[in-house]
Amino acid sequence: MTAIVRLIGLLAASLVLAGAVPATAQETAAATAPASTGALGDLTLRAPDGRDVPVFVFPAAEERAVVVFSHGFGGDPRSYREIIGGWAQAGFTVVAPLHVDSRRHPGGGRAPGAVAFMTRIADLAVVRDHVRAQHAGKPMAAAGHSFGSLLSLMAGGAMTAVGPQSDPDVRAVVALSSPGAVQGLVQAETYGSLAAPMLMVTGDADVVETYAPDWRDHRIPFDTAPPGDRMLVIFEGGGHGLVVEGTEAQRAFLAEVSLDFLRAHTLGDTTAQARLAALSAPAGVQIERR
C-alpha cells in the first residue's frame, strides 16, 4: 500500500498536464459552447469504482473494425470529428470516452493529473470490454492524442511506472503526438515492450514547455520501441494541436496515412500495406520507418 501511495504522489507531481498542455482552438470552443441537453455522450458505461463514463460513438455504416480513442488532456472526443469521421466513413467505428480531465466532463475537468491518469486506464479498459461484447469479432485498434496517445500505447504493450496495461486484442496504435518523457511515469524501457504496430505523428513545432521542451521528445516511442511495423510522420511547422489545427493539406495527408495504417494493421489489407511501403513524403513532411 505504501508503494502505491508513493507512486500516486509521484504521478501527482509529474502529471501536471492541465497547465502544461495548451488547449487547441477546437477544445476551447467545445469547452465554452453551451452544454447539450439530455445525457452527455451516446452511451454511459460504469467504471469499477462506480463512476459513470460518458462515451461518444462515431458509427461506421458498414463496420469493419473498431477504434478506441482517447482525447488529449482537458479535451473532448468531438474536437477530433474530422479525422474520426473519416475513419468512420471508411468502416472504422470509433468509440471514445470522455475522461474526467475534460473541460466538458460533468466534474468540470478539475481532476489532478494522477487521478486523470488512473481513471483513464479504467475508462479505456471498460470501453474495450464493451467493444468486445457489442462488436464481437471485429478487430480493434487504439488511438489517441497527446496524453491519450500514451494510454493507447500502453494498451499496445508499452509499460509505464504503473506496470503492464496491455490488451492483446489491440492490433495497432495511432499516436497523434505524445506526452513526451513524463518524469516518473515514462521510463527508459517503457516502449521496449510495445508489441502492436505503431504510427507516431508529430511536428517540428510540437513543443510543450513543461513536459516536451524539445519536439524530438515525441520521437521517443518510435526510437525506443522494438523495430518492425513502426512509422513516424513529422510535419514541418506542425504543432501540438496539428490533428485539428494543421493546414488543410497537413490534415488531409494525416487522414490518408492514418487510415491506411489502420487498414493495413487491423484488417490485414495488403493493398494498404503496399501503399504505406511505397508512400513518398510530400513537401514539408518527413516519413521514417523501422
Side-chain angles (χ1 to χ4, degrees), residues 87 174 199 201 231 233 235 251-263 276 279 285 287:
W87 295 344
V174 175
L199 168 65
V201 179
M231 191 169 185
V233 180
F235 288 87
R251 299 195 315 274
F253 187 75
L254 172 53
E256 174 190 347
V257 173
S258 62
L259 188 51
D260 266 348
F261 195 85
L262 289 171
R263 288 173 174 141
L276 287 174
L279 184 64
V285 179
I287 298 175

Side-chain angles (χ1 to χ4, degrees), residues 21 26 162 209 239 273 283:
V21 180
Q26 285 79 355
V162 301
E209 290 185 7
Q273 291 171 2

Side-chain angles (χ1 to χ4, degrees), residues 56-60 67-71 76-96 143 176 243-244 255 258-259 262:
F56 291 94
V57 180
F58 303 80
V67 178
V68 175
F69 185 85
S70 182
H71 61 73
D76 183 324
R78 293 165 293 183
S79 299
Y80 307 90
R81 281 187 186 278
E82 182 177 354
I83 190 166
I84 286 176
W87 295 344
Q89 288 177 6
F92 293 85
T93 289
V94 180
V95 185
L176 305 170
V243 60
V244 289
S258 62
L259 188 51
L262 289 171

Side-chain angles (χ1 to χ4, degrees), residues 179-250:
V182 183
Q183 185 178 7
L185 182 61
V186 175
Q187 304 165 312
E189 64 275 14
T190 287
Y191 300 108
S193 55
L194 182 64
M198 178 197 68
L199 168 65
M200 172 59 67
V201 179
T202 187
D204 61 10
D206 189 353
V207 174
V208 181
E209 290 185 7
T210 303
Y211 72 106
D214 186 330
W215 74 266
R216 295 171 186 83
D217 292 338
H218 301 294
R219 294 184 55 108
I220 293 173
F222 175 80
D223 290 335
T224 62
D229 294 326
R230 313 297 182 204
M231 191 169 185
L232 173 67
V233 180
I234 304 168
F235 288 87
E236 181 180 342
H240 199 62
L242 170 73
V243 60
V244 289
E245 296 177 344
T247 67
E248 184 176 354
Q250 288 173 333

